[in-house]
Amino acid sequence: MSRTPRVVIVGAGIVGANLADELTSRGWHQVTVLDRGPLPLTGGSTSHAPGLVYQTGSSKTMTEFATYTVEKLQSLDAAGGWCFNQVGGLEIATTPERLHDLHRKQGWATSWGVPGEVISPEECAKLHPLLDPDRILGGLHTPTDGLAKATRAVEELARRAVARGARFRGGVEVVGINHHRGQVTGVETDQGEVPADIVISCAGFWGRAIGEMAGMRVPLLPMAHQYARTEPLPELAGRNDERTEATLPTLRHQDHDLYYRQHVDRLGIGTYAHRPIPVEPGELPQQDSTTERSMPSMLPFTEEDFAASWEHSRRLLPALESAEIDTGFNGIMSFTPDGGPLVGESPDVSGFWIAEAVWVTHSAGVARAVAQLLVDGRSEIELHGCDVHRFDEIETTEAFVDETAQRNFVEVYDVKHPLQPRFSPRELRVSPFHARQKELGAVFLESHGWERPHWYEANAPLVQDLPMEWQPPSRDAWSAMYHSPIAAVEAWKTRTAVALHDMTSLKRLEISGPGALDFLDRLTTNKVRKSVGSVTYALVLDEAGGVRSDLTVARLGEELFQVGANGNLDHDHFRRELPADGSVQLRDITGGTCCIGVWGPLARDLVQPLSRDDLSHEGLKYFRCKPVHIAGIPVTAMRVSYVGELGWELYTSAELGQRLWDVLFEAGRGLGVVAAGRAAFNSLRLEKGYRAWGADMTTEHNPYEAGVGFAVRLQKGGFTGRDALAALDQEAISRRLCCLTIDDGRSVVLGSEPVFLDGAPSGYITSAAFSHTLGTPIAYAWLPATAEPGTPVEIQYFDRRVRATVAAEPLVDPDMHRIRR
C-alpha cells in the first residue's frame, strides 16, 4: 500500500466522521479522528441534532451539499437501521409575504434540480394532519427532504472508515497544534503528540479554540438554540412507528421561527424566536458519560424563552392545546458573520485546515468537498461562499463576529431580499467621499463592511427631466425594494453626459519586485508582458480550467503592478503562490487608496481642463494607464470602463480623495455631472455584457462557456489551467452564459430564478437588471449551448412565467465606439 499523508481530524461528529469516510474511500488510509468526548456520542452538536434536512436555499452550493447529504445518508445501512428517513419537508405560510416567498423558494428548487411544489392548505393538512388548515395559506412540499439520524450515521461512517484503516479515539483532549517552519507536524493532546501531515478541525463550536492553537482566527460564534419534546400525543397514536420514528414530513413555520419533527408519538419543537444566547465553550462542563444530560452541548432549558413559541405552536397545531412539554434543552450550534460554513486552510500554517459551522444538512457535501480539495486539489462544487478567507480582516474580529452572528440567529428564517443590507454594524468602512455622498442623499447598501451608494436622492428632481425613452416602468413590490427610479437618471447621465462612480470598495492589490512579472504571467491567462502603462483583463484559473477570478492588471512600472481583484480570496490565493525567494511582494492597498470612475461622453470635457497631461485618445488609449495631475492632485488614470463609456478610473491616496471628488464635481456642474450609484452601475455593466465573478461565473465554468475566452492566450506559454483549456474543444461546449431580454419590457427578475427551454427547466438566472438604455429588463443565464440568439425561453418569477428571448451580446455598443473615443 503506497504511503498517503498522515491526517488527523479533530472532532468525531457528523462532519469529522463524513470526512474520514470520504478520505479513506479515496485511498487515504492513515486517518486518525480525535474527540474530547466519549465515542460514539461525543457531546457535540451532532449528539443532539434534531436532524431536519431541507435542501432548498438561494445558494446553489449549499443546496448541492444538502442533496449529496441526502443521497449519502440514504445509502448507509447501519445494521438494518435507517440513517435517513425521507419523510419529505413542508414549509407553511401564514402570511401573504411568506406564501410569496415559498414560490420564490420553489423556483430555487427548480433551478438547483430539487423537486418541490407549492400546495394548498388542504393539501398541507393531508400531508401533516396535525395542522389547522384554516390558519395557513399554503405550503412548499419538498418530497426528497427528511430526517437524518445523525448519531447512527456517525457510527456507520466511522465503521466504514475504520475498515479502511482509519482510527477513532475518544476521550482525547487536544491542547495544541504543532508546526515547524510554517508546516503542521502534529496534534498535541493530553495523551501525547499525534504526528500529522494534515490536520482538519471539524470541532464544531470548539472550532474557534482549535483554530487559535494554530494561530488561525475562526470567525464563528457558538449560540444556544431551544428544542423541546411534547408528552405523547393521542393524535399520533395511529401514525407512530418505532422503527422509523416518523411518518409525518418535517414542518417549518418560519413566520414564527419554528420547526417541528415527529418522535414516534411525540412532537419535537425547535425555535429561533428567542433572544440570542451566546455561549463560551471554555465554560462548558466536560462530558463524563454518554447520557444526554451530561452533554456539554445541551444546556438547561429556559422555559421563559420558549413561552411565546409554545403559544404559536398550539394555535398552529390544535393537538397541542391540551398537551404539555415533557423535556427540553438549549442546544449549542455555530453561527458565522454571513451564515455560511467555514472551509479552508490556515494562511500561516500549511496543512492546517478547518471545516466548521457546518450543519447536519450539509455535512456530507462539505466533507466531500474538503476531501476533494485535499486529494484532488479542487472541489467539483465551487466554494467561494464557504471559503473562510472570503472575509476581510475587519469581518473576523471578535466584535464583528459576535454582533453579526447574533443578528443572523435572529434573522435565520426571515424573508430576505437579495439586496437587503446588513442591519449592523454599519459605517465600518467608508470611502474618502463618504461625507460628500451623505450630503447628496446617498442611499447606502453594504458589502464586506463597505458603505456603497446605491443611488443619490439629490438626483430625484431630474427624474422629471428624463426623456420618454428613459422613463422606467413601475415595478412589482418585490423588485421595487432597495430600488429607486433615480437609478434611471444616473444611468442616463452616464450614457449621455458624465457621472462620478465611487469604485473605492473594489479590492486593489499591489504586486512588486523583480519576480512580479513572471509571477503574474504564471497565474493569469492573458498576456501581461507588455510595456509600462498597459492594462490587461485576465483570468485566474484553477488546474481544471475553472474560473477562479477575473482581474485587471495594470503595469505601473517595470517591477510594479496594480491588480484590480474581486475580494480577499484573490489576496489569499496570490499570497499562497508567492515564490519562496522573496522576489515578489504583495500588499493590499485598498484601504489606503480610493477610486472615482469618471465615465460618460463628456468625461474628457470634464477632466482635461483640470490637467496639463494629455488625456486625448492618442495621449491615453483604451486599456492604458499613466500618472497624471488633476487640479494638482497626483492621480493614476486608468483608461478602463466597466460601464462601457468613455472615461477613466482615477486612483489617488485616501487623504486626497475628498479633494479629488470636490474638484471633479465642481468642474462638472456645467456639464450636468451627477454622482451615480451601484444600481445604475449594475445595469450599465450588464448592458455591456461584463461578467461579475461569483455570480455569472465560478470555478464550475471554463472561460469559453462563460464568454470570456478572449482573455485566454494559450500561445503565451505555461499558466495555471492552461493544459486543461488546451484539451478542450471550444466548439463542443454543452452550456453557455447567455444574454436574455424580457419580452414584456417590465418584469424585472433578480437572480437564481429557473429558466425553461421548450417547457423544461434548463438553467438559471445569474445576474439581472433593468436596462435603462434599452428600456427593457435584461438578464444573464446559464443555458444549453443550443440556445442561440432568438431562442424563446421562459423565466419562473415567483408563481408566474415571464417570456424572454436569448439575445446577441453585448446589447449596447457592440463595436465599442463609445468607449474608444
Side-chain angles (χ1 to χ4, degrees):
M1 185 178 292
S2 62
R3 184 189 184 281
T4 60
R6 297 167 301 174
V7 178
V8 173
I9 298 170
V10 181
I14 191 70
V15 182
N18 259 302
L19 181 54
D21 178 66
E22 294 286 340
L23 288 173
T24 55
S25 72
R26 288 166 170 78
W28 282 25
H29 56 276
Q30 296 192 89
V31 176
T32 302
V33 184
L34 306 177
D35 203 292
R36 63 189 294 168
L39 301 177
L41 211 58
T42 64
S45 298
T46 299
S47 304
H48 65 70
L52 282 74
V53 176
Y54 46 90
Q55 300 164 84
T56 304
S58 60
S59 166
K60 178 174 179 287
T61 294
M62 298 299 283
T63 298
E64 289 176 334
F65 284 162
T67 299
Y68 179 70
T69 299
V70 168
E71 294 170 355
K72 184 172 182 179
L73 295 187
Q74 273 189 305
S75 71
L76 298 181
D77 181 15
W82 62 275
C83 292
F84 187 77
N85 183 3
Q86 201 162 55
V87 291
L90 181 63
E91 300 178 44
I92 53 96
T94 58
T95 64
E97 293 78 14
R98 182 67 62 178
L99 183 61
H100 202 48
D101 193 57
L102 293 184
H103 283 287
R104 181 170 66 129
K105 286 187 175 180
Q106 192 277 327
W108 293 339
T110 302
S111 290
W112 317 141
V114 176
E117 181 184 10
V118 177
I119 59 178
S120 69
E122 292 72 27
E123 291 172 301
C124 291
K126 286 181 181 178
L127 289 170
H128 202 298
L130 300 189
L131 278 169
D132 179 356
D134 293 334
R135 291 193 174 273
I136 62 177
L137 303 178
L140 172 62
H141 180 225
T142 311
T144 55
D145 286 352
L147 292 167
K149 188 77 169 178
T151 52
R152 185 179 292 157
V154 164
E155 292 186 65
E156 175 59 17
L157 292 165
R159 185 196 64 77
R160 298 198 325 181
V162 167
R164 303 184 192 111
R167 292 195 305 157
F168 279 67
R169 294 175 55 189
V172 178
E173 179 82 12
V174 173
V175 297
I177 304 297
N178 297 333
H179 50 92
H180 179 65
R181 293 183 178 178
Q183 173 64 50
V184 74
T185 59
V187 175
E188 195 68 37
T189 78
D190 59 353
Q191 300 171 29
E193 184 188 33
V194 182
D197 304 303
I198 296 172
V199 175
I200 310 108
S201 175
C202 304
F205 56 82
W206 284 291
R208 187 152 70 177
I210 300 297
E212 288 173 355
M213 295 177 188
M216 183 177 181
R217 189 179 292 170
V218 180
L220 65 79
L221 179 70
M223 299 183 69
H225 161 64
Q226 289 199 306
Y227 192 77
R229 295 190 190 190
T230 69
E231 62 185 9
L233 301 177
E235 289 80 0
L236 291 179
R239 302 184 66 90
N240 55 4
D241 187 326
E242 293 285 350
R243 186 179 61 84
T244 64
E245 294 187 23
T247 58
L248 296 178
T250 64
L251 179 65
R252 291 201 289 170
H253 180 23
Q254 293 172 302
D255 284 323
H256 286 291
D257 298 315
L258 284 155
Y259 64 84
Y260 309 88
R261 63 149 294 180
Q262 181 185 357
H263 293 281
V264 190
D265 58 353
R266 303 165 187 260
L267 203 63
I269 305 172
T271 178
Y272 296 95
H274 56 81
R275 62 190 169 92
I277 309 174
V279 174
E280 176 50 59
E283 299 175 0
L284 297 173
Q286 179 75 31
Q287 183 169 346
D288 55 14
S289 71
T290 58
T291 62
E292 282 192 353
R293 286 298 157 204
S294 68
M295 288 184 185
S297 63
M298 297 178 68
L299 303 181
F301 191 60
T302 49
E303 293 185 9
E304 65 277 11
D305 289 314
F306 193 71
S309 293
W310 180 235
E311 289 307 311
H312 289 305
S313 298
R314 296 171 84 172
R315 286 196 289 270
L316 180 72
L317 306 166
L320 301 181
E321 289 180 358
S322 58
E324 298 293 338
I325 295 297
D326 182 39
T327 62
F329 62 91
N330 290 3
I332 305 176
M333 57 200 307
S334 301
F335 281 77
T336 63
D338 61 4
L342 305 173
V343 172
E345 187 180 19
S346 162
D348 302 310
V349 179
S350 178
F352 179 77
W353 289 72
I354 67 168
E356 303 290 14
V358 181
W359 295 6
V360 171
T361 296
H362 310 109
S363 57
V366 169
R368 178 179 64 171
V370 174
Q372 289 174 342
L373 286 170
L374 293 172
V375 178
D376 306 324
R378 75 185 299 268
S379 164
E380 66 185 74
I381 296 175
E382 71 89 15
L383 300 177
H384 82 273
C386 307
D387 194 311
V388 65
H389 303 295
R390 66 190 181 270
F391 301 112
D392 286 327
E393 184 177 3
I394 186 63
E395 300 173 276
T396 65
T397 63
E398 187 171 323
F400 187 93
V401 172
D402 288 359
E403 182 171 353
T404 54
Q406 290 187 56
R407 190 70 194 178
N408 283 333
F409 180 92
V410 172
E411 296 177 349
V412 66
Y413 277 170
D414 285 3
V415 176
K416 299 191 74 170
H417 192 276
L419 293 177
Q420 183 174 326
R422 193 186 305 277
F423 178 79
S424 66
R426 294 296 298 269
E427 298 201 354
L428 281 179
R429 307 171 82 180
V430 298
S431 78
F433 327 128
H434 187 67
R436 298 296 185 256
Q437 291 166 341
K438 292 181 77 171
E439 291 170 2
L440 293 171
V443 174
F444 293 98
L445 301 188
E446 180 269 352
S447 177
H448 291 285
W450 282 104
E451 297 295 325
R452 305 200 301 182
H454 215 52
W455 68 85
Y456 295 85
E457 289 294 333
N459 296 326
L462 297 178
V463 173
Q464 63 186 5
D465 297 333
L466 282 169
M468 283 300 299
E469 63 271 21
W470 285 86
Q471 290 285 344
S474 59
R475 294 188 175 208
D476 68 278
W478 184 251
S479 64
M481 293 178 68
Y482 305 103
H483 180 75
S484 169
I486 296 171
V489 168
E490 296 168 7
W492 171 56
K493 283 290 188 175
T494 305
R495 287 275 185 253
T496 63
V498 62
L500 306 185
H501 293 253
D502 180 2
M503 306 298 291
T504 300
S505 64
L506 300 183
K507 179 74 75 176
R508 289 176 292 286
L509 305 175
E510 180 187 273
I511 298 176
S512 61
L517 179 58
D518 289 341
F519 175 75
L520 287 167
D521 196 41
R522 172 171 60 87
L523 293 181
T524 64
T525 61
N526 212 340
K527 181 181 178 182
V528 294
R529 291 185 181 276
K530 299 177 183 177
S531 61
V532 172
S534 65
V535 181
T536 305
Y537 176 77
L539 308 176
V540 179
L541 307 180
D542 64 17
E543 291 289 352
V547 181
R548 181 189 285 272
S549 188
D550 64 339
L551 314 166
T552 55
V553 180
R555 190 169 192 180
L556 304 182
E558 289 294 334
E559 298 182 356
L560 178 63
F561 296 83
Q562 179 175 306
V563 173
N566 280 298
N568 202 56
L569 290 179
D570 293 327
H571 187 203
D572 178 68
H573 177 61
F574 283 142
R575 189 197 57 75
R576 294 176 189 277
E577 294 291 334
L578 288 173
D581 61 8
S583 62
V584 181
Q585 290 80 51
L586 170 67
R587 285 201 309 141
D588 183 345
I589 61 172
T590 310
T593 57
C594 59
C595 178
I596 302 175
V598 183
W599 292 311
L602 302 182
R604 190 172 285 121
D605 297 313
L606 191 163
V607 178
Q608 184 63 83
L610 299 173
S611 179
R612 296 181 181 180
D613 298 284
D614 184 2
L615 295 173
S616 68
H617 180 65
E618 293 72 23
L620 185 57
K621 293 184 181 295
Y622 186 54
F623 263 78
R624 298 288 297 179
C625 66
K626 68 178 181 181
V628 302
H629 287 111
I630 295 176
I633 302 167
V635 168
T636 298
M638 204 172 293
R639 182 84 186 276
V640 294
S641 172
Y642 205 48
V643 299
E645 290 294 332
L646 169 68
W648 308 267
E649 291 181 353
L650 302 179
Y651 295 90
T652 192
S653 57
E655 79 270 19
L656 298 174
Q658 183 169 293
R659 174 63 178 166
L660 179 62
W661 178 280
D662 287 346
V663 298
L664 290 171
F665 205 85
E666 183 60 33
R669 289 187 187 277
L671 302 172
V673 71
V674 299
R678 300 291 297 187
F681 178 84
N682 191 54
S683 170
L684 295 166
R685 72 99 180 165
L686 279 176
E687 293 173 349
K688 285 297 296 178
Y690 295 149
R691 276 58 169 154
W693 185 85
D696 299 318
M697 57 187 181
T698 68
T699 55
E700 292 185 0
H701 313 109
N702 70 55
Y704 309 119
E705 297 171 324
V708 288
F710 64 86
V712 175
R713 295 289 184 272
L714 292 177
Q715 65 273 23
K716 80 166 190 170
F719 58 85
T720 303
R722 183 191 181 280
D723 291 346
L725 293 190
L728 291 176
D729 181 354
Q730 299 179 32
E731 304 302 319
I733 61 174
S734 61
R735 59 179 178 175
R736 182 181 290 114
L737 187 63
C738 298
C739 179
L740 308 179
T741 56
I742 310 300
D743 293 356
D744 67 14
R746 61 184 305 110
S747 296
V748 179
V749 300
L750 297 178
S752 298
E753 296 90 350
V755 182
F756 293 76
L757 179 63
D758 296 327
S762 304
Y764 59 91
I765 300 294
T766 60
S767 297
F770 187 86
S771 168
H772 299 288
T773 307
L774 300 178
T776 189
I778 58 176
Y780 274 77
W782 281 101
L783 288 173
T786 55
E788 298 287 346
T791 302
V793 297
E794 289 184 310
I795 304 168
Q796 182 179 324
Y797 184 63
F798 291 92
D799 58 347
R800 64 189 179 94
R801 298 281 182 91
V802 175
R803 293 180 179 177
T805 303
V806 178
E809 58 167 334
L811 296 169
V812 171
D813 192 27
D815 296 325
M816 303 288 284
H817 291 312
R818 303 173 67 90
I819 207 168
R820 296 179 184 273
R821 287 183 283 198

